[in-house]
Amino acid sequence: MYESYWRKLGDRCSMVISGNDLMSYFSNPGNLCWFLMPELDHAIRRLHGVVRNAIADDDRFIVVGTGSTQLFHALLYALSSPNEPEPISVVAAAPFYSSYPEETEFLRSGLYKWAGDAYSFNKDGPYIEVVTSPNNPDGAIRGAVVNRKGGKLIHDLAYYWPQYTPITGRANYDVMLFTFSKATGHAGSRIGWVIVKDKEIATKMVKFIELNSIGVSKESQLRAAKILGVISDDCLNSGPNKEENFFEYGQHLMSERWEKLREVVKRNGVFSLPKYSPDYCNFSGEYTDHNPAYAWLKSKEGLNSDNLLREHKIVTRGGTKFGVGSKYTRISMLSSDDEFNLLLERLSAIKVTTNGNY
Amino acid sequence: MYESYWRKLGDRCSMVISGNDLMSYFSNPGNLCWFLMPELDHAIRRLHGVVRNAIADDDRFIVVGTGSTQLFHALLYALSSPNEPEPISVVAAAPFYSSYPEETEFLRSGLYKWAGDAYSFNKDGPYIEVVTSPNNPDGAIRGAVVNRKGGKLIHDLAYYWPQYTPITGRANYDVMLFTFSKATGHAGSRIGWVIVKDKEIATKMVKFIELNSIGVSKESQLRAAKILGVISDDCLNSGPNKEENFFEYGQHLMSERWEKLREVVKRNGVFSLPKYSPDYCNFSGEYTDHNPAYAWLKSKEGLNSDNLLREHKIVTRGGTKFGVGSKYTRISMLSSDDEFNLLLERLSAIKVTTNGNY
């Protein structure tokens, strides 16, 4: 979706890598996260400072991963303990990111196990709650739900960037998860990072990544550093040559898409969408709308939304995968322009081409 | 170690990546391994064809990973089954790669468990045997040891390249593991690949990588494709401008290092080294020596070799980590020139600076 923006920037984001560059396993042997490139470390802390979406001061540890998915696994490992009598429960409030259950369960770890919807979790003892805010799939701004002793929180802030949501404050949680793919659109690079307060947790995460993949692609790290750096430069540029920075661009684009989608959804009358109120955004310096990365559609008549849309050649991810009913379904708002326009077209056609049963 | 070779090649191995390149999750949506870049797929198959070290014809599947470590995990997942009453045993003949036990055990998976030395494994039922050849740590050419019904084999061929060992035939195993880091020295890119015959195993491996990291860095894949391509070009170049290709260079360098090491070890009389006989190398077209990536030292007097060397400021990895006694220890032969020369110097000094007790 953001490709044309990056194309427009041309050489400013290009990088050249020679055959003899980046050969060693090590990026920064003296650092706790020895495989994190100093350039990326710097670019991440600087960008959070510029956007003011999270505290990433020097007393926090940054651990880089092969996308935020690898870091989610690293966190499960770091927040669990081999000395506990049973696996620690992992919960998230429904609707939750559809991959959390399978990612938690697929290796049948004795360290942690998926325990479902945080709203219905009532087991005593330690647990891990994943708090995704803005939430995937429904864009809601969220806090922890369980709030009991022994709870450990993972704050997944993948979508806490100005194009998706007003930046209302600098997040300051123990563990904050971010990903390059959602921040800038560079999903192919597989770069994610965690900002973590506790040294022991950071150390265990590094251990996980050593044992899982002995570090993270340096080519990707260097490229992410470059691109995040250009974004920060542009955000800080207040000179006469100031151009639209990446987040302004993204915000306009997402706003436009949401406006179009709401119009179509309203017109055909089959679905409803969540409502969000504008908030003051510290980054933009004005009230802005929530423009989530996904549209969370609900069938007004309680039909299976995923099936209904598939019949009209719209591929979505049904509500049951997110721990709720099939009347809900998730549509990506991050597709290419062509795909998004096709979505609008097909969505518009639902009412027109059907007689009462769509 | 190979850095100066790659520097010499200059721009031939350079690559430029623009800000709008490589943005999508997908590399080849129609392919079973949808995150494998076609350029890398092609470069891998071509290089194995040129070196003749493994059969990588089009009927084999290639799965790329974040280094061979991620692929080792993917293989444990792919070769195990959630329907078995107990975790499948994972074994390797001692001395075995020191990370296998911890990588297998650290998540306390219910799918697989480390069962130690293949030589002493006598449990009935299914098992996975890792066969590393040439072996890490001792450079031995190996075959499977257990050879019982229900056995599944992982052939780790990370060191089956001409600079380390004569290429005596095209390996044709069910599952063959390779890594960019040992083939060319580019450890920082974290690229490994598996050549696999069975579609179901390949499918499960892809599933693992989806759930573990949603694919593999495209920047690294593209760079690996470029570098492997240049190696193949040079190996195939028989023209008048023919220069030393990478494997010839590596073979000479490793040969030289081994000669120097053997001399020092012989002179000081404290340790012995494994003996290897030259073999006919199909790649070189002549008899060549084994020049393993690691030197496997044995203390002649049965002392703790790792401790002894540490006292002389030589950091090694002791035999117990490889499942054998402490009289053995492993030294890397892949260090930089400076480090290698320092190693020789310190190793030479052991005899000189000590009186009977080193």
Side-chain angles (χ1 to χ4, degrees):
Chain A
M1 175 173 80
Y2 304 125
E3 203 181 318
S4 61
Y5 180 85
W6 296 115
R7 184 174 297 114
K8 206 182 60 186
L9 256 54
D11 281 350
R12 286 185 60 215
C13 290
S14 291
M15 56 183 278
V16 181
I17 308 176
S18 298
N20 57 306
D21 288 338
L22 312 177
M23 292 190 67
S24 163
Y25 284 102
F26 295 95
S27 294
N28 191 359
N31 192 32
L32 185 138
C33 186
W34 55 266
F35 48 81
L36 169 60
M37 296 194 76
E39 295 90 334
L40 182 58
D41 185 323
H42 174 75
I44 287 170
R45 293 185 200 269
R46 179 170 175 238
L47 184 67
H48 285 299
V50 167
V51 176
R52 289 184 285 174
N53 62 340
I55 295 181
D57 296 348
D58 285 345
D59 59 337
R60 312 293 161 101
F61 299 95
I62 288 181
V63 180
V64 67
T66 308
S68 61
T69 301
Q70 188 185 38
L71 291 165
F72 178 69
H73 292 289
L75 280 165
L76 296 185
Y77 174 73
L79 298 174
S80 61
S81 163
N83 305 320
E84 290 293 324
E86 52 176 309
I88 191 168
S89 297
V90 181
V91 300
F96 43 70
Y97 174 42
S98 52
S99 295
Y100 289 150
E102 197 174 6
E103 286 173 10
T104 307
E105 285 291 293
F106 83 120
L107 294 181
R108 313 279 162 121
S109 173
L111 300 175
Y112 43 79
K113 64 162 195 288
W114 180 250
D117 188 356
Y119 287 118
S120 53
F121 179 71
N122 56 12
K123 202 164 161 290
D124 281 331
Y127 66 92
I128 296 171
E129 181 177 347
V130 194
V131 182
T132 309
S133 182
N135 192 36
N136 172 0
D138 66 354
I141 302 302
R142 290 181 147 197
V145 162
V146 181
N147 295 314
R148 275 215 308 273
K149 212 175 143 249
K152 298 172 183 190
L153 300 178
I154 296 174
H155 278 87
D156 184 346
L157 304 183
Y159 304 96
Y160 192 44
W161 295 103
Q163 69 268 47
Y164 306 119
T165 193
I167 302 301
T168 55
R170 296 172 77 195
N172 186 22
Y173 303 108
D174 289 348
V175 165
M176 300 186 280
L177 191 50
F178 289 92
T179 164
F180 193 38
S181 67
K182 302 305 183 249
T184 71
H186 291 86
S189 305
R190 312 309 310 123
I191 291 292
W193 62 92
V194 166
I195 305 168
V196 54
K197 286 183 187 173
D198 185 75
K199 187 174 181 176
E200 199 185 325
I201 294 173
T203 305
K204 282 187 77 178
M205 293 185 71
V206 167
K207 176 83 177 165
F208 176 94
I209 291 175
E210 278 175 40
L211 288 169
N212 190 238
S213 63
I214 324 187
V216 175
S217 160
K218 285 190 180 180
E219 290 85 348
S220 289
Q221 288 192 61
L222 207 59
R223 183 153 179 253
K226 174 104 186 185
I227 288 169
L228 299 182
V230 167
I231 295 178
S232 288
D233 289 346
D234 289 353
C235 290
L236 293 171
N237 182 359
S238 54
N241 299 324
K242 182 178 171 3
E243 289 197 40
E244 195 176 48
N245 69 53
F246 172 72
F247 295 119
E248 287 168 348
Y249 171 87
Q251 208 171 33
H252 294 151
L253 188 60
M254 291 300 293
S255 238
E256 238 174 64
R257 286 192 171 194
W258 269 95
E259 207 171 305
K260 287 179 184 164
L261 181 80
R262 287 201 184 276
E263 209 177 286
V264 168
V265 166
K266 193 177 167 189
R267 257 207 324 265
N268 81 9
V270 181
F271 300 101
S272 67
L273 281 166
K275 288 183 176 56
Y276 313 97
S277 317
D279 262 310
Y280 186 79
C281 175
N282 295 336
F283 174 77
S284 314
E286 58 188 16
Y287 278 81
T288 60
D289 282 323
H290 294 255
N291 297 308
Y294 305 98
W296 187 233
L297 289 173
K298 181 181 169 186
S299 157
K300 286 184 178 173
E301 302 198 8
L303 300 173
N304 182 313
S305 295
D306 182 52
N307 285 352
L308 175 55
L309 288 165
R310 260 170 223 273
E311 281 165 24
H312 293 82
K313 294 190 182 166
I314 300 171
V315 178
T316 69
R317 203 178 284 184
T320 52
K321 295 203 171 136
F322 300 90
V324 296
S326 62
K327 64 183 171 188
Y328 291 97
T329 203
R330 191 194 82 169
I331 294 183
S332 174
M333 297 294 284
L334 305 181
S335 49
S336 68
D337 284 340
D338 286 352
E339 284 171 317
F340 187 73
N341 289 331
L342 200 60
L343 163 72
L344 294 178
E345 202 178 287
R346 289 181 179 170
L347 210 50
S348 304
I350 292 183
K351 196 179 156 197
V352 178
T353 61
T354 57
N355 294 307
N357 54 7
Y358 312 107
Chain B
M1 175 173 80
Y2 304 125
E3 205 180 316
S4 61
Y5 180 86
W6 297 114
R7 184 174 298 116
K8 207 182 61 186
L9 256 56
D11 281 351
R12 286 186 59 216
C13 290
S14 290
M15 56 182 279
V16 181
I17 308 177
S18 297
N20 58 305
D21 288 338
L22 313 177
M23 292 189 69
S24 163
Y25 283 102
F26 295 95
S27 294
N28 191 359
N31 191 34
L32 185 138
C33 186
W34 55 266
F35 48 80
L36 169 60
M37 296 194 76
E39 295 90 335
L40 181 58
D41 186 322
H42 173 76
I44 287 170
R45 293 184 201 270
R46 180 171 175 240
L47 184 66
H48 284 300
V50 167
V51 176
R52 290 185 285 172
N53 62 340
I55 294 181
D57 296 349
D58 286 345
D59 59 336
R60 312 292 161 101
F61 299 95
I62 288 180
V63 180
V64 66
T66 308
S68 62
T69 301
Q70 188 185 38
L71 291 165
F72 178 69
H73 293 289
L75 281 165
L76 295 185
Y77 175 72
L79 298 174
S80 62
S81 163
N83 304 321
E84 290 292 324
E86 52 176 310
I88 192 168
S89 297
V90 180
V91 299
F96 43 69
Y97 174 41
S98 51
S99 294
Y100 288 150
E102 197 173 6
E103 286 174 10
T104 307
E105 286 290 292
F106 83 118
L107 294 181
R108 313 279 162 121
S109 173
L111 300 175
Y112 42 80
K113 66 160 193 288
W114 179 249
D117 188 356
Y119 288 118
S120 52
F121 179 69
N122 54 13
K123 202 163 161 290
D124 282 332
Y127 66 91
I128 296 170
E129 181 178 347
V130 195
V131 181
T132 309
S133 182
N135 191 38
N136 173 358
D138 67 354
I141 302 302
R142 289 181 148 195
V145 161
V146 181
N147 295 312
R148 276 215 306 274
K149 212 174 143 249
K152 299 172 184 189
L153 300 179
I154 296 173
H155 278 87
D156 183 346
L157 304 183
Y159 304 96
Y160 191 43
W161 295 102
Q163 68 268 46
Y164 306 119
T165 193
I167 302 302
T168 54
R170 296 173 75 196
N172 186 22
Y173 304 109
D174 289 348
V175 165
M176 298 186 281
L177 190 51
F178 289 93
T179 164
F180 193 38
S181 68
K182 302 306 183 248
T184 71
H186 291 86
S189 306
R190 312 309 311 123
I191 290 292
W193 62 93
V194 166
I195 306 169
V196 54
K197 287 183 187 173
D198 185 75
K199 186 174 181 177
E200 200 185 322
I201 293 172
T203 305
K204 282 187 77 177
M205 292 185 72
V206 166
K207 176 83 176 166
F208 177 94
I209 292 176
E210 277 176 42
L211 289 169
N212 189 237
S213 63
I214 324 186
V216 174
S217 160
K218 284 191 182 181
E219 290 85 349
S220 288
Q221 288 192 61
L222 207 59
R223 184 154 179 252
K226 173 104 187 184
I227 288 169
L228 299 182
V230 166
I231 295 179
S232 288
D233 290 347
D234 288 352
C235 290
L236 293 170
N237 181 359
S238 55
N241 299 325
K242 180 178 173 1
E243 289 196 41
E244 194 177 49
N245 68 53
F246 172 71
F247 295 120
E248 286 168 348
Y249 171 86
Q251 208 171 33
H252 294 153
L253 188 59
M254 291 299 293
S255 237
E256 239 174 65
R257 285 191 172 194
W258 269 94
E259 207 171 306
K260 286 180 186 165
L261 182 80
R262 287 202 185 276
E263 210 177 286
V264 168
V265 166
K266 193 176 165 189
R267 258 209 323 266
N268 80 10
V270 181
F271 299 101
S272 66
L273 281 166
K275 287 183 178 53
Y276 314 97
S277 316
D279 262 311
Y280 186 78
C281 175
N282 295 336
F283 173 76
S284 315
E286 58 187 15
Y287 277 82
T288 61
D289 283 322
H290 294 256
N291 297 306
Y294 304 98
W296 187 233
L297 289 174
K298 181 183 169 186
S299 158
K300 286 185 178 172
E301 302 197 10
L303 299 173
N304 183 313
S305 294
D306 182 53
N307 285 352
L308 174 55
L309 289 165
R310 259 169 223 274
E311 281 165 23
H312 292 82
K313 294 191 181 166
I314 300 171
V315 177
T316 70
R317 204 178 283 186
T320 52
K321 296 204 169 134
F322 300 90
V324 295
S326 64
K327 64 184 171 188
Y328 290 97
T329 203
R330 191 192 82 169
I331 294 183
S332 173
M333 296 293 284
L334 305 180
S335 49
S336 69
D337 283 340
D338 286 351
E339 283 171 318
F340 187 74
N341 289 330
L342 201 58
L343 162 71
L344 293 179
E345 202 178 290
R346 289 180 178 170
L347 211 49
S348 305
I350 293 185
K351 197 178 154 196
V352 179
T353 62
T354 57
N355 294 308
N357 54 8
Y358 313 110

